[in-house]
């Protein structure tokens, strides 16, 4: 069952106008870090002031203007939020490739696959509200600068491609998957936490590799709610799921699931097969919601990418997802709803 979390409150304190960004960074789907699970676990917990700093955020608007918002944290639960490390390098497949390409509009246009969208910078995102998409921060900002294309960022929704302008016949040959195309919606504004912007330079960044995009108009699809990430031992079968637009299968939505191998307060380490392009996918699980007496999927993390870890001289590799902690839940929920009273239960 979904555990119930009391969530702290994160509120904006002040907002400053910043200079317009240059948009001169290359959209890089890979970052590298030597800091693995043991290194993360031995990192000192950040102070309250540091956490406040990391959770302050920049907002980029479609007209190119940029603001920085400082936040206050109230009723802070015990435990910190943040440690060191950033990662991603080229993805290998772990033995047998266990990814599934999803074909046919019956699957692609149905929940939960329909919540996966493509970013114009090459990553994946997940619909988390009527006008909001959750993704990885590195898809928009390399830690020092916004990437080319971030100002004119668009989000692509898979739609069936109709032949000859017809309305689409019911006769489908299952051997021939239906051709799909992307319909694009412009992004109105983007929020990126300062933990990523500061951290990518000083090696704590990976814990904050997430961003929220607000679309110019509602997308009219069912979306997936976010939730606080339970400990790995509480996940059904210790397993996570995500779907993304992996580079090696252009135009395909690729689904996979796998076991969590290790975790820190901010990160999940697993060996789900993935290629660049899947970065930013929402990592979700399905659990029983007692209050509503039904099964519910929630996004508990954001797939960040690949990490080589030097374990006592032996290179080991993981794929890493950023966990949605109570503090990150409070922040992302506030970005979506604009009212902390709607963000008290994780």
């Amino acid at each position: 069952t979904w555990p119930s979390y009391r969530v702290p409150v994160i509120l904006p304190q002040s907002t400053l106008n910043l200079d317009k960004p240059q948009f001169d960074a290359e959209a890089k789907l890979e970052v590298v870090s030597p800091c693995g699970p043991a290194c993360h676990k031995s990192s000192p917990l950040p102070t309250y002031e540091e956490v406040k700093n990391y959770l302050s955020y920049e907002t980029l608007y479609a007209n190119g203007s940029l603001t920085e918002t400082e936040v206050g944290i109230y009723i802070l639960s015990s435990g910190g939020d943040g440690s060191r490390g950033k990662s991603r390098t080229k993805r290998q497949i772990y033995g047998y490739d266990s990814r599934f390409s999803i074909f046919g509009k019956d699957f692609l246009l149905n929940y939960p696959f329909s919540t996966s969208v493509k970013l114009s910078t090459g990553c994946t995102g997940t619909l988390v509200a009527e006008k909001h998409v959750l993704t990885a921060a590195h898809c928009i900002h390399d830690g020092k600068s916004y990437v080319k294309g971030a100002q004119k960022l668009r989000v692509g929704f898979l739609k069936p491609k109709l032949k000859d302008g017809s309305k689409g016949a019911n006769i489908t040959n299952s051997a021939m998957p239906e051709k799909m195309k992307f319909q694009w919606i412009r992004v109105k504004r983007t929020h990126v936490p300062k933990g990523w912007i500061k951290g990518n330079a000083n090696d704590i960044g990976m814990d904050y590799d997430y961003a929220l995009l607000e679309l110019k108009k509602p997308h009219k699809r069912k979306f997936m709610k976010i939730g606080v990430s339970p400990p790995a031992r509480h996940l059904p079968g210790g397993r996570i799921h995500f779907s993304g637009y992996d580079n090696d299968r252009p135009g395909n939505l690729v689904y996979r699931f796998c076991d969590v191998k290790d975790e820190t307060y901010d990160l999940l380490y697993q060996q789900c097969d993935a290629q660049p392009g899947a970065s930013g996918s929402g990592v979700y699980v399905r659990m029983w919601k007692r209050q509503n007496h039904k099964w519910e999927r929630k996004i508990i993390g954001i797939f960040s990418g690949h990490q080589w870890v030097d374990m006592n001289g032996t290179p080991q590799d993981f794929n890493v997802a950023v966990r949605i902690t109570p503090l990150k839940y409070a922040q992302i929920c506030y970005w979506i709803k604009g009212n902390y009273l709607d963000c008290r239960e994780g």
Side-chain angles (χ1 to χ4, degrees), residues 144-267:
K144 299 181 182 68
S145 185
Y146 285 88
V147 304
K148 293 172 186 171
Q151 187 182 346
K152 293 191 169 68
L153 192 61
R154 299 176 305 150
V155 170
F157 295 75
L158 268 184
K159 294 274 170 88
K161 192 186 282 183
L162 300 178
K163 295 184 188 112
D164 314 324
S166 68
K167 293 286 180 229
N170 288 333
I171 308 153
T172 54
N173 180 347
S174 56
M176 283 293 291
E178 192 159 2
K179 286 281 181 219
M180 305 292 282
K181 62 173 183 178
F182 285 104
Q183 180 186 26
W184 298 89
I185 297 181
R186 286 287 299 274
V187 171
K188 179 177 164 184
R189 58 180 178 171
T190 300
H191 299 298
V192 179
K194 295 292 284 184
W196 172 255
I197 292 167
K198 297 178 190 314
N200 204 18
N202 67 13
D203 213 25
I204 62 115
M206 191 158 194
D207 299 343
Y208 297 92
D209 190 6
Y210 59 92
L212 188 78
L213 320 179
E214 184 183 338
L215 303 174
K216 287 201 165 177
K217 61 181 186 184
H219 52 72
K220 300 188 175 70
R221 286 195 182 185
K222 188 175 176 183
F223 54 84
M224 206 181 296
K225 290 178 183 166
I226 61 168
V228 174
S229 171
R233 66 181 181 278
H234 291 166
L235 301 177
R239 189 173 277 172
I240 55 169
H241 308 249
F242 62 97
S243 302
Y245 293 98
D246 297 50
N247 287 6
D248 64 333
R249 301 189 186 185
N252 285 4
L253 181 64
V254 185
Y255 162 77
R256 77 234 69 201
F257 62 88
C258 69
D259 298 341
V260 174
K261 300 286 185 199
D262 203 348
E263 64 185 325
T264 64
Y265 186 74
D266 286 281
L267 302 175

Side-chain angles (χ1 to χ4, degrees), residues 90 132 140 184 194 268 272 288:
K90 218 171 196 66
H132 291 91
I140 293 138
W184 298 89
K194 295 292 284 184
L268 288 175
C272 279
W288 183 253

